[in-house]
Amino acid sequence: MNLSKFNLVGYSKSWWLILIAGIVMVLCGFAYWFWPGAGYAIASQIFGWVLILAGVIQLIVAAGPHYPKGWGWWIAGGMIDLFVGFMLVRSIMLS
C-alpha cells in the first residue's frame, strides 16, 4: 500500500475560508481592544443567544422519546438557561 496517497495534512480545497475567518477574528480582536464597552455588549448578547439555544436543545432532549436519565434536571437546566439567556438578550445592563 502506498501511504503517500493518504497524506492529507494541511490540504483543503477551501483554504481561503479559513484565511478569511482568521483575518476577521484578528480584526474583531483589535476592535474589542479599542472599544471594550461595545465589545462586551456584543459578547454578552452572543452569550445570551447561545444560552437560549442551549436551553431549547436541553428541553428538546428531555422531552424526546429517548429521554436521558435524570430528565427532570435536563428540564430544569433548560429552563434556567432560557431564563438567563433571555435576561442577557433583553438588557445589556443586567449582564
Side-chain angles (χ1 to χ4, degrees):
M1 180 192 307
N2 188 1
L3 294 177
S4 63
K5 290 183 180 181
F6 298 107
N7 188 6
L8 299 175
V9 177
Y11 177 74
S12 176
K13 290 182 181 179
S14 56
W15 60 269
W16 55 274
L17 287 174
I18 297 169
L19 179 67
I20 290 173
I23 291 170
V24 168
M25 285 184 197
V26 168
L27 292 176
C28 288
F30 280 122
Y32 190 71
W33 189 14
F34 290 120
W35 299 290
Y40 178 72
I42 293 170
S44 67
Q45 288 289 308
I46 292 171
F47 184 66
W49 285 109
V50 168
L51 277 176
I52 290 171
L53 180 65
V56 168
I57 290 172
Q58 284 180 350
L59 291 176
I60 290 172
V61 167
H66 304 291
Y67 55 87
K69 185 177 180 181
W71 59 271
W73 289 109
W74 279 73
I75 292 175
M79 291 173 56
I80 291 170
D81 284 348
L82 281 174
F83 177 74
V84 173
F86 280 125
M87 294 308 270
L88 287 176
V89 169
R90 181 175 169 252
S91 174
I92 295 174
M93 295 303 291
L94 289 176
S95 64

